[in-house]
Amino acid sequence: MKILLIYPPFLEARVHEEEINAPPLGLYYVGALLKEKGYSVEILNWARISKASDLIVQTLREERPNIIGFSILQANRWGALEIAETAKAVNPEVTVVFGGIGATFLWKHFLTHFKAVDFCVLGEGEYPFLKLVRAIEKGHPKKLKSVKGIAFRTKGLPVKTARPLPIKNLDDLPVPSKYFDYQHVAFTRGCPGNCTFCGSPRFWGRRVRFHSAAYFVKQLEYLYKRGIKFFYFSDDTFLINKGRVIDICQKIIERNLQISWFAISRVDLVNEDVLYWMRMAGCTQISYGVESGSEKIRNFLNKNIQSDQIKKAFDLTTRYGILARAYFIYGSPGENRDTIQETIDLINEIKPLSTIFYILDIFPGTALYDMFLKQSGQTDDIWLQKIEDILYFETDPHLTKRMILAFGRELRTAFHKALPDFADAVELTKKEDFRELNADFLSRLAMTFSHGDYAKLEAIPHKDKTAKRLYRKSLNFAPNDRAYLGLGMIEQRERAFRESIALLDEGLRVFPENDQMKLCKGISHMNLGEFQEALGCLERMRDSKQAEAYKQECYKALKAMGVKH
Ligand code: SF4
């Protein structure tokens, strides 16, 4: 029995492609369990494939799957439906299964309107999918009713079976990284929060279940040994149990996993102790759902966090050299100029070094969606339209698109304008064992201003000046190769070649093997017409491929000058 698990393409292009690039972790868990039980499974990340691609037909012909499982989010359901129809045209016998959050809350809709969908797996999918595969394999359609957590058609009508109990011990699941490579990992399932716009509480339940720290770190270790060094810890609230998180961090350190990772948390769950261990174990960013500066709007969203908790979380996180990123939602009920100003005021107080601003979306499986259906008289049939999602403001007569777009611009502009001040205001822990980590944090932040994402944004003022200050602050904590290089590059950009060379010389005394610094120094010498000196730097580079073009230029210039080399 051959099973393909597909992460299908999205309807619309994304501004932040990275948001959709990775298949949901659930697909890997399902794949691992099926593999462990002896099935042939392949996971295909088709998030960015063109829907009309010949590759789809070719793959389906070559692979000849018996079952295709799709991981459905609201925004990729049309992509999945198109592939499902193509698959049925290639082989009418193939069984199509939809799973994931989109299928869980719209199973009736899919089974009513789309003949190409044979089954939906609802909620936590590993065991329902496995049992469904077994029932299909044995050709026992009557047995389907005994498979809990699925939906299908009987006599043309959609029905669902009983809900299974949540998996008691998550460690009973095979470690997916034994079989697959990926970077998004999760230690927990569930979130005790109950935000009105979020599908997590109904999908996973509000009781949080945990893997053991040993299982989780083993998962990282498999991946690390295969060369993966950066991870997204994608738990809804990784920090729900701080003792367990510290246990994970200590295990990462004990096993000497040289990794870095991002996490997500609620602001009311952090303290100094856990931040200390997280930073020590490689955490470099925590994203917090702040949502709004207006308490009224936060209450409507049922966020249940207070302004002082938000301030404390941002202050502590930054203090430990972890970049605190704030998620904001705008375009909520009651949004107006005043509430936007409240959000800007809060931004100025918490000084986030990164933000993401979203327009409030309405998704099935949320309290907001229930409210929308009730108030509008709409049904799930609204999803027959070729739309990815429903924006809340489109349903509220008090809000217009123009207003919302203007609010978004206002929020982003206020953040970008103030960002250099936020960076200057960073105060880091004075703990002696954090000197190198602090230097690393500041130089990484500086790099975003001088050569990274922020460098590209017109709206941010004084980028190079801010970067220089951060690089210098970094060097006050400890020697740092990124800081020397960054400063050398900025001076070079400003045509201050002597200063650039002096800084790089200083850096190369501490980091004599750093090829990037040698290259940069060589280029500064070339700009001064000092080709012999430039060659002195370039010829010391181990990987001379990068330096080759510059070397050739030096030889040519020296020849023209009649200098033998
Ligand atoms: S938004 Fe975050 S805190 Fe709120 S319910 Fe969802 S996962 Fe939990």
Side-chain angles (χ1 to χ4, degrees):
M1 173 117 334
K2 169 98 199 195
I3 301 153
L4 286 187
L5 298 176
I6 297 179
Y7 180 47
F10 287 67
L11 202 55
E12 292 161 15
R14 287 288 186 290
V15 181
H16 304 287
E17 279 274 353
E18 67 278 4
E19 285 170 21
I20 57 156
N21 275 347
L25 181 57
L27 217 52
Y28 294 109
Y29 273 102
V30 170
L33 182 63
L34 291 168
K35 271 191 182 270
E36 199 97 339
K37 299 294 176 192
Y39 292 100
S40 160
V41 183
E42 209 177 321
I43 295 180
L44 300 174
N45 182 358
W46 279 357
R48 297 204 296 174
I49 204 172
S50 145
K51 274 164 271 172
S53 169
D54 290 344
L55 182 68
I56 295 174
V57 176
Q58 194 191 326
T59 308
L60 296 172
R61 285 210 176 111
E62 279 169 12
E63 299 284 336
R64 306 178 62 77
N66 305 90
I67 297 174
I68 307 180
F70 290 93
S71 175
I72 305 293
L73 303 169
Q74 208 59 16
N76 67 10
R77 66 191 193 287
W78 285 107
L81 287 164
E82 282 178 36
I83 298 170
E85 276 158 20
T86 307
K88 290 275 184 183
V90 171
N91 172 18
E93 299 301 310
V94 72
T95 302
V96 168
V97 184
F98 273 22
I101 196 155
T104 299
F105 298 119
L106 284 184
W107 60 275
K108 222 181 221 174
H109 166 83
F110 287 124
L111 292 168
T112 303
H113 296 285
F114 301 98
K115 286 277 171 293
V117 183
D118 298 304
F119 295 95
C120 289
V121 168
L122 314 177
E124 191 165 59
E126 291 89 352
Y127 290 106
F129 198 102
L130 172 68
K131 288 175 186 166
L132 174 61
V133 168
R134 283 177 171 160
I136 294 167
E137 190 179 33
K138 289 186 181 140
H140 286 161
K142 281 192 187 143
K143 287 242 162 108
L144 288 173
K145 282 202 179 118
S146 64
V147 177
K148 289 183 179 167
I150 62 166
F152 51 91
R153 276 182 292 269
T154 36
K155 296 185 189 136
L157 292 175
V159 289
K160 70 170 175 172
T161 61
R163 196 178 177 151
L165 289 173
I167 298 169
K168 223 176 175 177
N169 181 4
L170 293 181
D171 285 5
D172 287 346
L173 291 165
V175 179
S177 57
K178 258 167 84 178
Y179 302 101
F180 305 105
D181 284 351
Y182 49 89
Q183 289 175 288
H184 289 253
V185 291
F187 174 54
T188 59
R189 290 184 179 184
C191 173
N194 202 11
C195 305
T196 50
F197 58 90
C198 177
S200 174
R202 291 190 200 171
F203 186 85
W204 293 116
R206 291 178 63 193
R207 200 176 67 80
V208 180
R209 289 166 293 144
F210 299 84
H211 280 294
S212 65
Y215 175 106
F216 185 72
V217 177
K218 189 167 27 149
Q219 172 173 217
L220 296 176
E221 205 167 8
Y222 281 132
L223 295 163
Y224 179 72
K225 284 187 178 157
R226 297 205 296 272
I228 299 173
K229 305 224 164 116
F230 175 75
F231 297 95
Y232 299 91
F233 290 11
S234 313
D235 304 71
D236 288 334
T237 47
F238 180 60
L239 286 162
I240 189 78
N241 183 317
K242 289 182 264 301
R244 289 176 192 248
V245 171
I246 291 173
D247 197 9
I248 287 175
C249 294
Q250 291 174 341
K251 283 190 166 56
I252 290 173
I253 296 165
E254 272 161 30
R255 285 182 205 181
N256 196 23
L257 304 185
Q258 302 289 323
I259 58 172
S260 59
W261 42 279
F262 290 176
I264 304 168
S265 177
R266 282 178 62 92
V267 290
D268 49 0
L269 296 174
V270 279
N271 65 17
E272 288 205 46
D273 203 21
V274 80
L275 288 168
Y276 171 89
W277 285 107
M278 285 172 75
R279 182 66 182 111
M280 281 291 194
C283 178
T284 55
Q285 178 178 292
I286 303 177
S287 296
Y288 296 103
V290 176
E291 321 309 2
S292 172
S294 154
E295 208 167 327
K296 219 166 79 198
I297 289 182
R298 284 207 305 271
N299 286 343
F300 168 81
L301 298 173
N302 205 20
K303 192 70 204 179
N304 212 6
I305 51 172
Q306 312 308 321
S307 295
D308 53 343
Q309 292 170 320
I310 302 171
K311 286 173 212 163
K312 192 168 159 212
F314 275 76
D315 177 49
L316 284 182
T317 307
T318 309
R319 197 168 287 277
Y320 277 85
I322 298 175
L323 192 131
R325 179 159 84 156
Y327 284 118
F328 287 101
I329 289 176
Y330 62 104
S332 300
E335 195 82 89
N336 57 37
R337 251 317 280 110
D338 293 343
T339 59
I340 292 295
Q341 189 55 50
E342 284 181 82
T343 300
I344 292 173
D345 292 344
L346 182 65
I347 290 174
N348 287 329
E349 267 190 272
I350 65 174
K351 302 180 174 48
L353 295 169
S354 172
T355 51
I356 303 264
F357 298 97
Y358 286 112
I359 298 175
L360 181 63
D361 252 335
I362 306 178
F363 292 114
T366 64
L368 195 63
Y369 184 68
D370 294 348
M371 191 183 91
F372 159 71
L373 290 186
K374 208 165 141 202
Q375 286 175 0
S376 66
Q378 292 274 6
T379 67
D380 286 343
D381 283 356
I382 191 159
W383 300 109
L384 289 171
Q385 294 175 36
K386 278 222 166 176
I387 50 171
E388 274 199 358
D389 46 18
I390 302 164
L391 298 170
Y392 171 78
F393 75 81
E394 293 167 341
T395 72
D396 186 332
H398 299 101
L399 300 171
T400 64
K401 186 173 181 179
R402 216 166 140 217
M403 259 165 94
I404 299 304
L405 294 182
F407 288 160
R409 277 195 301 274
E410 206 175 329
L411 289 166
R412 287 183 183 91
T413 305
F415 169 65
H416 287 145
K417 267 196 173 155
L419 189 52
D421 292 338
F422 297 169
D424 283 338
V426 166
E427 277 198 32
L428 297 169
T429 172
K430 301 277 182 300
K431 285 187 186 355
E432 212 31 54
D433 51 351
F434 263 59
R435 294 193 76 85
E436 279 187 23
L437 291 171
N438 288 347
D440 170 76
F441 171 72
L442 290 165
S443 68
R444 254 184 307 108
L445 182 59
M447 193 61 95
T448 60
F449 281 93
S450 64
H451 295 87
D453 288 349
Y454 291 156
K456 295 173 211 142
L457 291 177
E458 281 288 308
I460 300 174
H462 323 304
K463 292 183 279 278
D464 272 359
K465 278 189 188 153
T466 308
K468 270 193 195 180
R469 282 196 293 274
L470 290 167
Y471 283 132
R472 292 209 179 275
K473 239 169 134 178
S474 158
L475 291 173
N476 288 340
F477 278 104
N480 180 282
D481 50 352
R482 204 186 287 117
Y484 284 121
L485 178 64
L487 281 170
M489 286 162 85
I490 296 178
E491 295 295 356
Q492 187 178 84
R493 194 151 65 196
E494 291 173 353
R495 308 197 63 75
F497 301 116
R498 286 274 166 246
E499 288 77 357
S500 163
I501 290 168
L503 280 159
L504 294 163
D505 270 337
E506 209 181 302
L508 282 164
R509 273 196 288 279
V510 195
F511 303 100
E513 300 304 315
N514 190 302
D515 279 352
Q516 290 302 315
M517 277 196 252
K518 288 178 212 162
L519 181 65
C520 187
K521 187 179 163 214
I523 295 170
S524 282
H525 277 301
M526 285 171 75
N527 275 285
L528 291 167
E530 299 167 353
F531 298 102
Q532 291 280 23
E533 289 81 352
L535 278 173
C537 301
L538 301 169
E539 283 174 347
R540 277 168 55 213
M541 288 177 68
R542 279 160 302 155
D543 175 15
S544 61
K545 250 189 253 159
Q546 212 184 357
E548 201 48 48
Y550 292 106
K551 279 191 338 201
Q552 292 308 325
E553 252 186 76
C554 289
Y555 295 140
K556 231 198 267 171
L558 287 171
K559 201 173 163 194
M561 289 156 73
V563 181
K564 276 199 176 161
H565 180 74

